[in-house]
Tab-separated table of all heavy atoms in Angstrom:
chain	number	residue	atom	x	y	z
A	287	ASN	N	111.556	83.199	100.127
A	287	ASN	CA	111.898	82.001	100.755
A	287	ASN	C	110.840	80.895	100.528
A	287	ASN	O	110.311	80.286	101.473
A	287	ASN	CB	112.167	82.174	102.253
A	287	ASN	CG	113.261	83.135	102.546
A	287	ASN	OD1	114.225	83.178	101.802
A	287	ASN	ND2	113.032	83.957	103.589
A	288	TYR	N	110.495	80.709	99.326
A	288	TYR	CA	109.588	79.647	98.882
A	288	TYR	C	108.185	79.717	99.496
A	288	TYR	O	107.748	78.699	100.086
A	288	TYR	CB	110.180	78.269	99.133
A	288	TYR	CG	111.477	78.119	98.328
A	288	TYR	CD1	112.693	78.229	99.053
A	288	TYR	CD2	111.522	77.856	97.011
A	288	TYR	CE1	113.913	78.146	98.309
A	288	TYR	CE2	112.679	77.800	96.300
A	288	TYR	CZ	113.894	77.839	96.954
A	288	TYR	OH	115.054	77.803	96.285
A	289	GLY	N	107.569	80.769	99.537
A	289	GLY	CA	106.235	80.888	99.882
A	289	GLY	C	105.969	81.301	101.333
A	289	GLY	O	104.853	81.434	101.763
A	290	TYR	N	106.986	81.449	102.158
A	290	TYR	CA	106.789	81.883	103.534
A	290	TYR	C	106.943	83.327	103.591
A	290	TYR	O	107.702	83.984	102.885
A	290	TYR	CB	107.840	81.270	104.463
A	290	TYR	CG	107.724	79.760	104.545
A	290	TYR	CD1	108.591	78.952	103.968
A	290	TYR	CD2	106.662	79.188	105.307
A	290	TYR	CE1	108.549	77.604	104.091
A	290	TYR	CE2	106.623	77.793	105.439
A	290	TYR	CZ	107.508	77.041	104.763
A	290	TYR	OH	107.338	75.682	104.796
A	291	ALA	N	106.101	83.945	104.460
A	291	ALA	CA	106.168	85.416	104.589
A	291	ALA	C	107.572	85.745	105.205
A	291	ALA	O	108.046	85.115	106.034
A	291	ALA	CB	105.072	85.917	105.543
A	292	ASN	N	108.159	86.850	104.794
A	292	ASN	CA	109.472	87.255	105.220
A	292	ASN	C	109.514	87.373	106.771
A	292	ASN	O	110.483	86.934	107.385
A	292	ASN	CB	109.906	88.574	104.621
A	292	ASN	CG	110.335	88.347	103.141
A	292	ASN	OD1	110.780	87.287	102.829
A	292	ASN	ND2	110.200	89.409	102.312
A	293	SER	N	108.604	88.022	107.333
A	293	SER	CA	108.622	88.244	108.792
A	293	SER	C	108.491	86.980	109.542
A	293	SER	O	109.142	86.780	110.515
A	293	SER	CB	107.525	89.307	109.222
A	293	SER	OG	106.302	88.750	108.881
A	294	GLY	N	107.629	86.108	109.134
A	294	GLY	CA	107.405	84.804	109.842
A	294	GLY	C	108.609	83.959	109.709
A	294	GLY	O	109.082	83.218	110.592
A	295	TYR	N	109.151	83.913	108.484
A	295	TYR	CA	110.358	83.022	108.229
A	295	TYR	C	111.536	83.498	109.078
A	295	TYR	O	112.284	82.661	109.673
A	295	TYR	CB	110.678	83.006	106.756
A	295	TYR	CG	111.840	82.150	106.414
A	295	TYR	CD1	111.630	80.717	106.309
A	295	TYR	CD2	113.040	82.707	106.124
A	295	TYR	CE1	112.726	79.876	106.082
A	295	TYR	CE2	114.165	81.787	105.842
A	295	TYR	CZ	113.932	80.465	105.843
A	295	TYR	OH	114.970	79.604	105.516
A	296	SER	N	111.802	84.851	109.123
A	296	SER	CA	112.951	85.290	109.848
A	296	SER	C	112.750	85.069	111.316
A	296	SER	O	113.765	84.776	112.048
A	296	SER	CB	113.164	86.814	109.465
A	296	SER	OG	112.122	87.560	109.962
A	297	ALA	N	111.510	85.173	111.833
A	297	ALA	CA	111.347	84.897	113.238
A	297	ALA	C	111.561	83.437	113.563
A	297	ALA	O	112.198	83.095	114.533
A	297	ALA	CB	109.873	85.225	113.563
A	298	CYS	N	111.132	82.493	112.646
A	298	CYS	CA	111.510	81.119	112.827
A	298	CYS	C	112.976	80.863	112.699
A	298	CYS	O	113.516	80.064	113.501
A	298	CYS	CB	110.733	80.324	111.746
A	298	CYS	SG	108.974	80.145	112.080
A	299	GLU	N	113.670	81.514	111.820
A	299	GLU	CA	115.097	81.391	111.711
A	299	GLU	C	115.822	81.863	112.946
A	299	GLU	O	116.744	81.227	113.403
A	299	GLU	CB	115.603	82.182	110.494
A	299	GLU	CG	115.583	81.474	109.146
A	299	GLU	CD	116.475	80.239	109.191
A	299	GLU	OE1	117.673	80.280	109.610
A	299	GLU	OE2	116.008	79.223	108.747
A	300	GLU	N	115.425	82.969	113.481
A	300	GLU	CA	116.022	83.520	114.690
A	300	GLU	C	115.743	82.592	115.885
A	300	GLU	O	116.724	82.389	116.651
A	300	GLU	CB	115.398	84.929	115.073
A	300	GLU	CG	115.921	86.032	114.099
A	300	GLU	CD	115.213	87.317	114.331
A	300	GLU	OE1	114.481	87.426	115.336
A	300	GLU	OE2	115.326	88.215	113.482
A	301	GLU	N	114.562	82.037	116.028
A	301	GLU	CA	114.303	81.145	117.135
A	301	GLU	C	115.167	79.873	116.920
A	301	GLU	O	115.751	79.253	117.769
A	301	GLU	CB	112.863	80.742	117.098
A	301	GLU	CG	112.454	79.810	118.302
A	301	GLU	CD	110.988	79.557	118.428
A	301	GLU	OE1	110.209	80.063	117.548
A	301	GLU	OE2	110.647	78.820	119.300
A	302	ASN	N	115.237	79.426	115.625
A	302	ASN	CA	116.063	78.242	115.325
A	302	ASN	C	117.530	78.490	115.697
A	302	ASN	O	118.141	77.585	116.299
A	302	ASN	CB	115.964	77.892	113.810
A	302	ASN	CG	115.376	76.553	113.576
A	302	ASN	OD1	115.102	75.819	114.482
A	302	ASN	ND2	115.246	76.180	112.252
A	303	ASP	N	117.959	79.601	115.340
A	303	ASP	CA	119.386	79.906	115.600
A	303	ASP	C	119.643	80.006	117.131
A	303	ASP	O	120.630	79.488	117.698
A	303	ASP	CB	119.835	81.285	114.964
A	303	ASP	CG	119.925	81.241	113.497
A	303	ASP	OD1	120.063	80.135	112.990
A	303	ASP	OD2	119.859	82.323	112.786
A	304	ARG	N	118.653	80.585	117.807
A	304	ARG	CA	118.734	80.725	119.280
A	304	ARG	C	118.746	79.254	119.981
A	304	ARG	O	119.591	78.970	120.853
A	304	ARG	CB	117.575	81.546	119.869
A	304	ARG	CG	117.665	81.787	121.321
A	304	ARG	CD	116.445	82.637	121.846
A	304	ARG	NE	115.145	82.032	121.451
A	304	ARG	CZ	114.590	81.024	122.021
A	304	ARG	NH1	115.158	80.471	123.067
A	304	ARG	NH2	113.369	80.620	121.692
A	305	LEU	N	117.811	78.414	119.484
A	305	LEU	CA	117.756	77.068	120.023
A	305	LEU	C	118.960	76.301	119.703
A	305	LEU	O	119.485	75.509	120.511
A	305	LEU	CB	116.504	76.418	119.530
A	305	LEU	CG	115.169	76.978	120.064
A	305	LEU	CD1	113.966	76.339	119.381
A	305	LEU	CD2	115.039	76.751	121.575
A	306	THR	N	119.511	76.472	118.468
A	306	THR	CA	120.745	75.819	118.057
A	306	THR	C	121.895	76.238	118.928
A	306	THR	O	122.679	75.351	119.341
A	306	THR	CB	121.013	76.068	116.545
A	306	THR	OG1	119.908	75.700	115.779
A	306	THR	CG2	122.224	75.394	116.126
A	307	GLU	N	122.024	77.492	119.158
A	307	GLU	CA	123.096	77.966	120.022
A	307	GLU	C	122.969	77.404	121.492
A	307	GLU	O	123.964	77.069	122.101
A	307	GLU	CB	123.145	79.520	120.053
A	307	GLU	CG	124.372	80.153	120.605
A	307	GLU	CD	125.644	79.770	119.846
A	307	GLU	OE1	125.550	79.580	118.627
A	307	GLU	OE2	126.679	79.590	120.536
A	308	SER	N	121.715	77.366	122.008
A	308	SER	CA	121.503	76.827	123.284
A	308	SER	C	121.867	75.484	123.315
A	308	SER	O	122.518	74.946	124.312
A	308	SER	CB	119.980	77.061	123.643
A	308	SER	OG	119.671	76.365	124.832
A	309	LEU	N	121.458	74.689	122.359
A	309	LEU	CA	121.840	73.238	122.203
A	309	LEU	C	123.365	73.032	122.136
A	309	LEU	O	123.930	72.104	122.793
A	309	LEU	CB	121.163	72.604	121.010
A	309	LEU	CG	121.315	71.066	120.878
A	309	LEU	CD1	120.783	70.408	122.055
A	309	LEU	CD2	120.650	70.691	119.536
A	310	ARG	N	124.034	73.943	121.421
A	310	ARG	CA	125.533	73.817	121.260
A	310	ARG	C	126.210	74.097	122.577
A	310	ARG	O	127.065	73.341	123.024
A	310	ARG	CB	126.004	74.864	120.263
A	310	ARG	CG	127.495	74.831	120.007
A	310	ARG	CD	128.012	75.799	118.970
A	310	ARG	NE	127.372	75.439	117.716
A	310	ARG	CZ	126.686	76.283	116.969
A	310	ARG	NH1	126.423	77.497	117.307
A	310	ARG	NH2	126.251	75.870	115.789
A	311	HIS	N	125.620	75.010	123.467
A	311	HIS	CA	126.218	75.260	124.748
A	311	HIS	C	125.958	74.078	125.735
A	311	HIS	O	126.917	73.666	126.458
A	311	HIS	CB	125.613	76.511	125.404
A	311	HIS	CG	126.066	77.811	124.776
A	311	HIS	ND1	127.370	78.190	124.743
A	311	HIS	CD2	125.379	78.789	124.093
A	311	HIS	CE1	127.494	79.328	124.103
A	311	HIS	NE2	126.294	79.775	123.764
A	312	LYS	N	124.725	73.474	125.596
A	312	LYS	CA	124.467	72.304	126.418
A	312	LYS	C	125.398	71.107	126.027
A	312	LYS	O	125.863	70.422	126.943
A	312	LYS	CB	123.043	71.932	126.381
A	312	LYS	CG	122.116	72.932	126.960
A	312	LYS	CD	120.659	72.613	126.736
A	312	LYS	CE	119.727	73.672	127.401
A	312	LYS	NZ	118.304	73.344	127.120
A	313	VAL	N	125.597	70.925	124.766
A	313	VAL	CA	126.369	69.868	124.296
A	313	VAL	C	127.869	70.031	124.759
A	313	VAL	O	128.541	69.099	125.182
A	313	VAL	CB	126.321	69.632	122.718
A	313	VAL	CG1	127.438	68.770	122.236
A	313	VAL	CG2	124.994	69.147	122.363
A	314	THR	N	128.324	71.222	124.671
A	314	THR	CA	129.675	71.582	125.122
A	314	THR	C	129.872	71.379	126.628
A	314	THR	O	130.796	70.771	127.055
A	314	THR	CB	130.031	73.084	124.786
A	314	THR	OG1	129.887	73.311	123.413
A	314	THR	CG2	131.393	73.417	125.186
A	315	ALA	N	128.845	71.683	127.459
A	315	ALA	CA	128.884	71.479	128.846
A	315	ALA	C	128.819	70.008	129.124
A	315	ALA	O	129.590	69.543	130.012
A	315	ALA	CB	127.662	72.142	129.487
A	316	ILE	N	128.081	69.271	128.522
A	316	ILE	CA	128.029	67.766	128.646
A	316	ILE	C	129.322	67.189	128.302
A	316	ILE	O	129.745	66.191	129.002
A	316	ILE	CB	126.792	67.152	127.875
A	316	ILE	CG1	125.456	67.527	128.580
A	316	ILE	CG2	126.820	65.632	127.943
A	316	ILE	CD1	124.244	67.150	127.854
A	317	LYS	N	129.909	67.636	127.191
A	317	LYS	CA	131.173	67.057	126.709
A	317	LYS	C	132.307	67.313	127.802
A	317	LYS	O	133.018	66.368	128.093
A	317	LYS	CB	131.558	67.716	125.430
A	317	LYS	CG	132.857	67.181	124.869
A	317	LYS	CD	133.296	67.881	123.604
A	317	LYS	CE	134.684	67.460	123.154
A	317	LYS	NZ	135.086	68.213	121.949
A	318	SER	N	132.361	68.555	128.359
A	318	SER	CA	133.398	68.819	129.319
A	318	SER	C	133.106	68.011	130.566
A	318	SER	O	134.058	67.560	131.243
A	318	SER	CB	133.431	70.351	129.680
A	318	SER	OG	132.264	70.800	130.193
A	319	LEU	N	131.886	67.851	130.960
A	319	LEU	CA	131.499	67.035	132.114
A	319	LEU	C	131.876	65.627	131.964
A	319	LEU	O	132.457	64.998	132.860
A	319	LEU	CB	130.020	67.193	132.427
A	319	LEU	CG	129.446	66.509	133.713
A	319	LEU	CD1	130.136	67.133	134.866
A	319	LEU	CD2	127.979	66.673	133.732
A	320	SER	N	131.629	65.039	130.802
A	320	SER	CA	132.061	63.657	130.487
A	320	SER	C	133.461	63.498	130.521
A	320	SER	O	134.034	62.527	130.943
A	320	SER	CB	131.436	63.188	129.231
A	320	SER	OG	131.937	63.874	128.130
A	321	ILE	N	134.215	64.498	130.038
A	321	ILE	CA	135.759	64.468	130.092
A	321	ILE	C	136.194	64.466	131.522
A	321	ILE	O	137.092	63.701	131.916
A	321	ILE	CB	136.312	65.585	129.247
A	321	ILE	CG1	136.135	65.313	127.801
A	321	ILE	CG2	137.832	65.681	129.560
A	321	ILE	CD1	136.490	66.497	126.892
């Protein structure tokens, strides 16, 4: 992955995915609340 260590990159990807999913849930909740 372009010079990043596999273990460090996958940990960052997992955290990114987790944060993205959390953000998606928050956006969905805000959308339903605004409706």
